[in-house]
Amino acid sequence: MKNQKISNNVIRRLPRYIRHLDILADAGVIRISSSELGDQMNLTASQIRQDFNCFGGFGQQGYGYNVEELRGQLASILGMSESRTAIIIGAGNLGRAIIKHFKFGACGVTLKAAFDIDNERSISGPPFLPVYDMGELETYLEENETDIAVLTLPSNTANEIAVRLVKAGIKGIWNFTNVELRNIPKDIVVENVHFSDSLLTLNYYLSQKEK
Amino acid sequence: MKNQKISNNVIRRLPRYIRHLDILADAGVIRISSSELGDQMNLTASQIRQDFNCFGGFGQQGYGYNVEELRGQLASILGMSESRTAIIIGAGNLGRAIIKHFKFGACGVTLKAAFDIDNERSISGPPFLPVYDMGELETYLEENETDIAVLTLPSNTANEIAVRLVKAGIKGIWNFTNVELRNIPKDIVVENVHFSDSLLTLNYYLSQKEK
């Protein structure tokens, strides 16, 4: 697969394709052309073909895409069938919302434990997740190989904790705090969910509509 | 300002510029060149100039950008000083996390009320936010002009409620459910926060690092 230097935008569109293919599969659709798919997803057929060509292309000329096959290929590119492990730092409202409702499994990730400064904060399952005190972080990570840390803790401690996590072997940080993390080595993958960026984008388009 | 047809990617970068300019302003930086800004933000100087040229350009040849001025111009483009109103639908864990910790004010939005099927769910402030029963939605919106609805309700009712909101006059939907909303008129702005897209992107880059 020639998947070097694929643009971030293409990568970020892949989950959207998968979500749409799931809807199609549920509706019993077996195959679809790039132009039909484009119509449904507000993309051009040529953009879809270009996106998939980044990975070597999937369709067959004149046949289109087999929905299930395409879904499988995209899922494999995104590592959805890998078995990664994660911990979550911060078991307040946002942490609990994610623990209770976010389907980690569907993304190939198993959430193993939560950490909080207040370890009296138990999680009433399901899922039944142990909540450890922040002081136990390093010992836990030494004993349990973990790929990803989800940051749902207050912003003011985010960077300090992120540095501790990386030192303890974490490879990927899923950052929900509104902080740009600093002093994180370049080989660590940081993915930010900045709510404010999203609301400001909504604002912008609302203003444009009113013009 | 020639701000027609500016690509979504440019718009989505603007909040990131603002966050970075805030850090610079806090550090007492008065002006900055596009190449310095680029180095700090992992962008090329030419990309930065291109981005700003979409709005007519802000810098002065040989001087660079005045940090505060640039921040103000970007903020105005994003409507951060407008006074929009919002309601939030769903006062569960995610809803509460957003009500308690998300700084709507910094985005030019005032959160006015929450709605839930269980209106016994009061919000222990601050902020002190009234929680209404879903049955009161239409009456509320008739009496209180509202721009934006934040969807933090269970996925299975998201679409039905979104349609009700639009019918009652909502112009923008900030959708935190993992559902692609359907049957929403084209003049309504929908901004999705799909957590799974973000985690899958993180997964992808983790896999790439391991190759």
Side-chain angles (χ1 to χ4, degrees):
Chain A
M1 260 195 272
K2 45 166 183 168
N3 53 3
Q4 287 314 97
K5 291 207 181 190
I6 294 163
S7 95
N8 195 280
N9 289 329
V10 176
I11 302 303
R12 280 174 198 281
R13 263 195 299 276
L14 299 187
R16 225 187 116 204
Y17 286 119
I18 289 183
R19 258 200 319 278
H20 193 78
L21 290 168
D22 282 341
I23 295 170
L24 291 176
D26 281 351
V29 177
I30 306 288
R31 66 170 175 163
I32 190 160
S33 69
S34 47
S35 59
E36 287 170 301
L37 191 57
D39 280 351
Q40 293 170 12
M41 294 184 64
N42 265 327
L43 300 167
T44 66
S46 117
Q47 179 166 33
I48 291 181
R49 281 191 301 263
Q50 262 178 47
D51 282 356
F52 295 166
N53 276 338
C54 296
F55 307 97
F58 305 126
Q60 260 175 55
Q61 194 75 35
Y63 173 87
Y65 304 103
N66 176 299
V67 170
E68 206 160 315
E69 220 173 275
L70 179 59
R71 202 243 180 238
Q73 283 158 319
L74 297 177
S76 138
I77 290 168
L78 288 173
M80 286 169 80
S81 50
E82 285 170 28
S83 46
R84 298 203 178 275
T85 49
I87 56 172
I88 188 164
I89 316 290
N93 281 304
L94 180 59
R96 301 166 97 79
I98 290 175
I99 291 166
K100 287 198 171 180
H101 304 297
F102 182 71
K103 297 196 175 69
F104 282 91
C107 297
V109 176
T110 309
L111 184 63
K112 292 285 202 175
F115 288 82
D116 200 285
I117 42 168
D118 175 8
N119 67 349
E120 301 288 295
R121 266 179 173 164
S122 67
I123 308 287
S124 61
F128 296 93
L129 203 69
V131 184
Y132 297 110
D133 187 89
M134 280 306 293
E136 300 175 74
L137 185 65
E138 279 78 5
T139 317
Y140 175 90
L141 289 175
E142 208 166 290
E143 288 166 5
N144 303 276
E145 211 182 309
T146 306
D147 303 300
I148 298 169
V150 187
L151 298 191
T152 51
L153 72 174
S155 298
N156 57 347
T157 55
N159 210 94
E160 170 201 335
I161 301 290
V163 170
R164 265 176 73 186
L165 286 162
V166 170
K167 208 176 268 176
I170 286 288
K171 296 287 170 241
I173 297 179
W174 197 20
N175 176 29
F176 283 82
T177 73
N178 210 25
V179 168
E180 300 276 330
L181 299 177
R182 290 155 166 261
N183 304 317
I184 304 296
K186 292 232 164 175
D187 61 322
I188 304 299
V189 183
V190 177
E191 170 70 24
N192 297 302
V193 182
H194 285 311
F195 291 174
S196 59
D197 293 16
S198 172
L199 183 56
L200 288 171
T201 305
L202 176 59
N203 257 359
Y204 172 83
Y205 286 110
L206 280 175
S207 307
Q208 290 305 103
K209 296 269 178 194
E210 287 158 6
K211 276 183 182 157
Chain B
M1 257 195 278
K2 46 167 186 169
N3 54 3
Q4 288 311 98
K5 290 209 181 188
I6 294 164
S7 94
N8 195 279
N9 289 328
V10 176
I11 302 305
R12 281 176 196 282
R13 265 197 296 276
L14 298 187
R16 225 188 116 203
Y17 285 119
I18 290 183
R19 256 201 319 278
H20 193 77
L21 291 168
D22 282 341
I23 295 171
L24 290 176
D26 280 350
V29 177
I30 306 289
R31 66 169 173 162
I32 191 160
S33 68
S34 47
S35 59
E36 287 170 301
L37 192 57
D39 280 350
Q40 293 170 12
M41 294 184 66
N42 265 327
L43 299 167
T44 65
S46 116
Q47 180 166 32
I48 290 181
R49 283 191 300 263
Q50 262 179 48
D51 282 356
F52 296 166
N53 277 338
C54 296
F55 307 97
F58 305 127
Q60 261 176 55
Q61 193 77 34
Y63 173 88
Y65 304 103
N66 176 299
V67 169
E68 206 161 315
E69 221 173 277
L70 178 59
R71 201 242 180 239
Q73 283 159 319
L74 297 177
S76 138
I77 289 168
L78 288 173
M80 284 168 81
S81 51
E82 284 170 29
S83 47
R84 298 203 178 275
T85 49
I87 56 172
I88 188 164
I89 315 291
N93 280 304
L94 181 59
R96 301 167 97 81
I98 290 173
I99 291 166
K100 288 199 169 181
H101 304 296
F102 182 71
K103 297 194 176 68
F104 281 90
C107 298
V109 176
T110 309
L111 184 62
K112 291 286 203 177
F115 289 81
D116 200 286
I117 42 168
D118 176 7
N119 66 349
E120 300 287 295
R121 267 179 170 165
S122 68
I123 308 287
S124 59
F128 297 93
L129 203 69
V131 184
Y132 298 110
D133 188 89
M134 280 305 295
E136 300 174 76
L137 184 65
E138 280 77 6
T139 317
Y140 175 90
L141 289 174
E142 209 165 289
E143 288 165 6
N144 303 276
E145 209 182 307
T146 306
D147 303 300
I148 298 169
V150 187
L151 298 191
T152 50
L153 73 173
S155 297
N156 57 346
T157 54
N159 210 92
E160 171 202 334
I161 302 291
V163 169
R164 266 176 72 185
L165 286 161
V166 170
K167 209 175 267 177
I170 285 289
K171 295 287 171 238
I173 298 179
W174 197 20
N175 176 29
F176 282 83
T177 74
N178 210 23
V179 167
E180 299 277 332
L181 299 176
R182 287 150 169 266
N183 304 317
I184 305 296
K186 292 232 166 180
D187 62 322
I188 304 300
V189 183
V190 177
E191 171 69 24
N192 296 302
V193 182
H194 284 311
F195 291 174
S196 59
D197 294 16
S198 173
L199 183 57
L200 288 172
T201 305
L202 175 60
N203 256 359
Y204 172 82
Y205 286 110
L206 280 175
S207 306
Q208 290 304 103
K209 296 268 179 196
E210 288 159 6
K211 274 182 184 160

